[in-house]
Structures are given as structure tokens and as C-alpha cells.
């Protein structure tokens, strides 16, 4: 996970991230690797790898020796290395990828582009490390209404504090066509964008709320930064908006995925 805009909130343990966003990023990785057409015989680079949800899917398909990864968060780099021995995992951002020119067939960046400080520079880096005919695939959550966990949270937060920094308003690339325009502008060919939806099931509301209390990402960072009484009001509002669940419940999350190729 790229640690750009608000990136300090991603300098946390892989286990904490797993409980908050990993429950979505792991199933998303399977569908996203399909969008990227990752197949045996290729070499792939996972940019903004986080603790390694997508990296693991790449290893399953390609073998560890054919997979590279980078992330600017030191705890995530360490977690990814530990979880996926044999993968070349290095500290680095999308704007300054620490790998050679034309070294891979696939560049994939899952849930990263929202937090890249300079997206055009990142896109140029994606193109630099790709071989001719190689494919880049990028995906981000649809914050407008497709990522239910975060949409319900920010609606609850806005009900308590109308100035809450709703990610649908503060982050880029969550709307249809935005990633495609970036790739078009940077000279990629065959640009295509499609939605992918995954589902996560929670044991109870407390399990969901614990994810926000870990302080991960913009939502978690904002949540833990609120005074106790205000945070309690947000919790109550979120509980109500979810229908006051007394047991397990599921939430959907839709990502906008774009794929493009480097001219041969």
C-alpha cells in the first residue's frame, strides 16, 4: 500500500492491516490478477504491495522467483518479505520504483493509486519497468457507493461532523474513467476499465469497529484522532446505519480496475 497522501497511517503491522483491509484485499487479489492476465512464464512487479495480499496471489501463479514487490512502509516491506520468501521485496514508492528498466511483463498496483503523490510520474515509472507489450493493471475502491465499509463509515462520520474528510471527496481515482484517463494521457495502449466486487463477512459489529480503531488509512486515522465522545457518537451512528447487527453480517466492496499495455 502506497504511503503517500496520509501515508503515515499505513506504517502499521501487517496483522493490523489484515484485520481492517486485508479481508477485502485478499479476495480482490484473485480477481485483480485475472484482470491483469497474470499467467505462468511472466515476471510481475507488485507496486505498493502492503503486507503482501496480491504478492501472494502472484507467487501462486508465477512462483516466488518471478515476483518482485515494493512499498514505502518499512513494516509492510518486512511483512511481505516474511510471508513470501524468495520474492524480491524492496522499499520504494510508485514514483520511484527501485527496479531496472524493462524488467517485468506485468506491473500491478492494488489499492495504491489513491495515495500516490504524483500519479503521472508513477505512470511513467510503470511504463519504464515494463517490457514492450507488457501490461499494467491498477485498481482502487469505488468510494462513491461501491465500498460499503468505508461508505457507511463516512456517512456516519458526516452525520456527526459535516467537515469529516470523506474519502469520496478527498481522494482521487475512485470514479469511473479516472484511471483510464491517466493511462491514456501517459501513452498506454488498449486501455480498459472494469469493476470488480468482493465480499467480507464480520463475526459481529465489534470486529468491524476494531478495524477503525487500528488507525489504518484515512478513515482509521480520522477515527482515532477524534475525542472519545465524538468517536462514540460515530460508532453509534455506524451501528444504526448497518441495521444494528447482533451477529455476523457481510459487506460488499467494489474496486475500479483498469488495464493497459505498453506499445510494442
Amino acid at each position: 500500500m502506497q504511503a503517500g497522501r496520509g501515508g503515515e497511517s499505513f506504517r502499521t503491522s501487517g496483522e493490523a492491516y489484515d484485520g481492517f483491509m486485508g479481508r477485502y484485499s485478499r479476495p480482490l487479489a484473485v480477481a485483480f490478477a485475472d484482470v491483469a492476465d497474470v499467467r505462468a512464464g511472466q515476471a510481475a512487479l507488485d507496486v505498493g504491495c502492503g503486507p503482501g495480499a496480491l504478492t501472494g496471489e502472484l507467487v501462486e501463479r508465477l512462483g516466488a522467483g518471478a515476483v518482485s514487490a515494493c512499498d514505502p512502509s518499512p513494516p509492510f516491506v518486512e511483512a511481505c518479505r516474511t510471508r513470501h520468501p524468495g520474492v524480491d521485496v524492496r522499499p520504494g514508492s510508485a514514483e520511484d520504483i527501485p527496479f531496472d528498466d524493462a524488467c517485468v511483463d506485468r506491473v500491478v498496483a492494488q489499492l495504491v493509486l489513491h495515495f500516490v503523490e504524483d500519479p503521472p510520474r508513477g505512470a511513467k515509472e510503470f511504463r519504464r519497468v515494463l517490457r514492450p507489450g507488457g501490461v499494467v493493471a491498477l485498481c482502487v475502491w469505488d468510494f462513491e457507493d461501491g465500498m460499503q465499509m468505508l461508505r457507511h463509515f463516512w456517512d456516519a462520520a458526516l452525520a456527526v461532523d459535516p467537515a469529516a474528510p470523506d474519502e469520496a471527496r478527498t481522494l482521487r481515482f475512485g470514479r469511473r474513467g479516472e484511471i483510464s484517463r491517466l493511462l491514456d494521457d501517459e501513452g498506454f495502449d488498449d486501455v480498459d476499465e472494469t469493476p470488480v466486487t468482493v465480499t467480507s463477512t464480520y463475526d459481529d459489529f465489534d470486529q468491524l469497529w476494531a478495524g477503525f480503531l487500528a488507525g489504518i488509512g484515512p478513515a482509521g486515522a480520522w477515527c482515532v484522532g477524534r475525542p472519545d465522545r465524538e468517536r462514540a457518537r460515530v460508532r453509534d451512528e455506524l451501528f444504526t446505519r448497518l441495521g444494528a447487527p447482533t451477529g455476523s453480517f457481510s459487506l460488499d466492496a467494489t474496486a475500479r480496475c483498469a488495464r493497459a499495455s505498453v506499445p510494442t
Side-chain angles (χ1 to χ4, degrees), residues 159-239:
V160 173
D161 176 6
D166 178 3
E167 289 169 84
R169 299 184 300 187
T170 61
L171 296 184
R172 302 158 293 184
F173 299 109
R175 296 168 183 82
R176 183 178 302 169
E178 289 182 309
I179 310 176
S180 295
R181 283 192 293 275
L182 172 68
L183 296 174
D184 276 328
D185 290 346
E186 294 304 323
F188 284 90
D189 286 345
D190 306 317
V191 180
D192 183 58
E193 188 169 325
T194 185
V196 171
T197 299
V198 297
T199 301
S200 182
T201 299
Y202 296 87
D203 294 337
D204 52 30
F205 180 80
D206 286 340
Q207 186 179 49
L208 169 68
W209 186 245
F212 292 106
L213 296 182
I216 298 167
W222 183 86
C223 183
V224 298
R226 297 304 91 197
D228 290 347
R229 290 184 63 183
E230 183 178 339
R231 187 165 55 249
R233 289 176 61 200
V234 174
R235 182 191 187 282
D236 291 345
E237 180 70 23
L238 178 59
F239 184 69

Side-chain angles (χ1 to χ4, degrees), residues 33 38-46 54-69 83-89 104-106:
V38 175
R39 292 174 288 156
Q42 299 169 349
L45 170 61
D46 184 0
L54 177 58
T55 310
E57 181 62 24
L58 299 177
V59 169
E60 286 289 324
R61 298 182 184 213
L62 307 178
V67 178
S68 305
R83 294 176 179 186
H84 305 299
V87 174
D88 185 357
V89 187
V104 293
D105 305 293
R106 295 291 184 271

Side-chain angles (χ1 to χ4, degrees), residues 95-115:
E95 297 96 327
D96 190 15
I97 294 174
F99 291 94
D100 293 336
D101 295 356
C103 63
V104 293
D105 305 293
R106 295 291 184 271
V107 168
V108 289
Q110 176 171 290
L111 309 179
V112 170
L113 198 56
H114 288 312
F115 307 104

Side-chain angles (χ1 to χ4, degrees), residues 94-151:
E95 297 96 327
D96 190 15
I97 294 174
F99 291 94
D100 293 336
D101 295 356
C103 63
V104 293
D105 305 293
R106 295 291 184 271
V107 168
V108 289
Q110 176 171 290
L111 309 179
V112 170
L113 198 56
H114 288 312
F115 307 104
V116 174
E117 295 281 3
D118 187 343
R121 180 176 170 183
K124 289 180 175 64
E125 281 287 272
F126 301 153
R127 184 166 177 174
R128 178 184 66 78
V129 297
L130 277 167
R131 295 165 180 156
V135 167
V136 60
L138 313 172
C139 74
V140 296
W141 293 127
D142 179 349
F143 283 128
E144 288 187 300
D145 57 13
M147 208 300 177
Q148 292 183 332
M149 177 189 71
L150 292 174
R151 184 67 267 142

Side-chain angles (χ1 to χ4, degrees), residues 13-89:
S13 72
E15 291 74 16
Y17 183 84
D18 288 345
F20 180 62
M21 193 59 69
R23 60 175 57 246
Y24 294 97
S25 60
R26 287 189 299 272
L28 176 62
V30 178
F32 183 48
D34 288 341
V35 170
D37 191 26
V38 175
R39 292 174 288 156
Q42 299 169 349
L45 170 61
D46 184 0
V47 177
C49 60
L54 177 58
T55 310
E57 181 62 24
L58 299 177
V59 169
E60 286 289 324
R61 298 182 184 213
L62 307 178
V67 178
S68 305
C70 63
D71 197 283
S73 167
F76 284 172
V77 169
E78 183 59 31
C80 192
R81 284 174 175 165
T82 300
R83 294 176 179 186
H84 305 299
V87 174
D88 185 357
V89 187

